[in-house]
Amino acid sequence: MLNGKGTAMQEGTLSKFSTPGDWPAPVDDQARRLFTLVDVLEYRPKTSGSHGSNDYRWDIQGWYGGDYNRLWFKSEGQRDTAFKADYDVDFQLLYGRFIQKYYDFQIGPRVETQTFRGSNRTRGLAVIGIEGLVPYNYEVESSLFIDQNGAVSARFSFNKDMLLTQRLILQTRFETNAAVQRVEEFTTGSGLNNLELGFRLRYEIRREFAPYVGFSLDRSFGETSTLVREEGGTSSQIRFVAGIRMWF
């Protein structure tokens, strides 16, 4: 009798606190959203004694989808007359799949275009990568590229935001590229190609909009450095930058 009474009380308690059948799920992980981050949109003035002229750069990425499946779009580009090509534009359209907490697996096509001395060069590449957030809030992105002729290259980058105040934030950006084969028409040698380290201090007028100032150190290595010098560029440079960061 006591067991039967206890079971009845438990069932009554569960019935009392169970959610009605028409309530929505507590986490709507099937909703689809559009997100765009303009992480870098900046002007790079010419410094005294440097080659080239005033340049600019952008780094934009975003996605459409839900928590498990997303369509990613990424665009990077720059006018860097002191370093390599006059214009370097990169666009990726990737399918992203959630693989575990904070990490997306990405795969899709990439198109790279460079302009140098009035000549345009374009190539298509396949992309396989992982993007996510590692411990201590480092945003990490690693990608493997295979171009239309079978040349293999890779890129690794990370960003880290450090809050100096609630609105003043120092962002550290690091990126490096490496290649297995030498691709002269894109000024790429085999081995380690380059390292870039940048620091940008932004003030968030709103969370979605923040102007910034900073500087960026770029250096190429090995065969890539030789190719850059042969084309009249500078294999190492420090650029001051001013721009805006926004998301919506």
Side-chain angles (χ1 to χ4, degrees), residues 45-79:
K46 177 185 178 182
T47 56
S48 60
S50 66
H51 295 283
S53 57
N54 300 326
D55 294 327
Y56 52 83
R57 179 184 180 186
W58 73 86
D59 184 355
I60 301 169
Q61 68 170 273
W63 51 264
Y64 173 75
D67 290 351
Y68 298 97
N69 300 289
R70 293 178 176 176
L71 182 64
W72 287 81
F73 52 92
K74 304 181 181 183
S75 176
E76 290 185 64
Q78 61 180 339
R79 179 176 185 262

Side-chain angles (χ1 to χ4, degrees), residues 175-210:
E175 180 178 305
T176 184
N177 290 271
V180 177
Q181 293 88 1
R182 177 186 177 109
V183 184
E184 288 191 25
E185 62 178 341
F186 283 88
T187 325
T188 300
S190 60
L192 181 64
N193 298 151
N194 75 300
L195 293 175
E196 178 186 350
L197 179 64
F199 299 92
R200 291 166 176 82
L201 183 65
R202 70 176 186 265
Y203 182 80
E204 293 188 341
I205 299 173
R206 296 173 56 89
R207 289 301 180 202
E208 300 90 344
F209 182 83

Side-chain angles (χ1 to χ4, degrees), residues 12 37 89 99 132 164 189 221 226 236:
L37 170 64
V89 180
I99 51 175
L164 304 181
F221 299 92
T226 302
S236 178

Side-chain angles (χ1 to χ4, degrees), residues 119-187:
S119 175
N120 293 321
R121 306 158 185 171
T122 300
R123 63 173 172 172
L125 305 97
V127 183
I128 302 172
I130 292 177
E131 182 170 346
L133 188 68
V134 300
Y136 300 100
N137 291 327
Y138 284 88
E139 296 179 12
V140 174
E141 182 178 351
S142 60
S143 301
L144 179 71
F145 307 112
I146 305 173
D147 81 0
Q148 59 202 30
N149 298 314
V152 178
S153 57
R155 176 182 297 164
F156 174 78
S157 63
F158 73 78
N159 297 340
K160 167 72 173 178
D161 283 351
M162 290 179 284
L163 274 67
L164 304 181
T165 70
Q166 289 297 316
R167 292 182 179 273
L168 195 62
I169 298 169
L170 178 65
Q171 182 192 59
T172 302
R173 289 174 58 92
F174 172 84
E175 180 178 305
T176 184
N177 290 271
V180 177
Q181 293 88 1
R182 177 186 177 109
V183 184
E184 288 191 25
E185 62 178 341
F186 283 88
T187 325

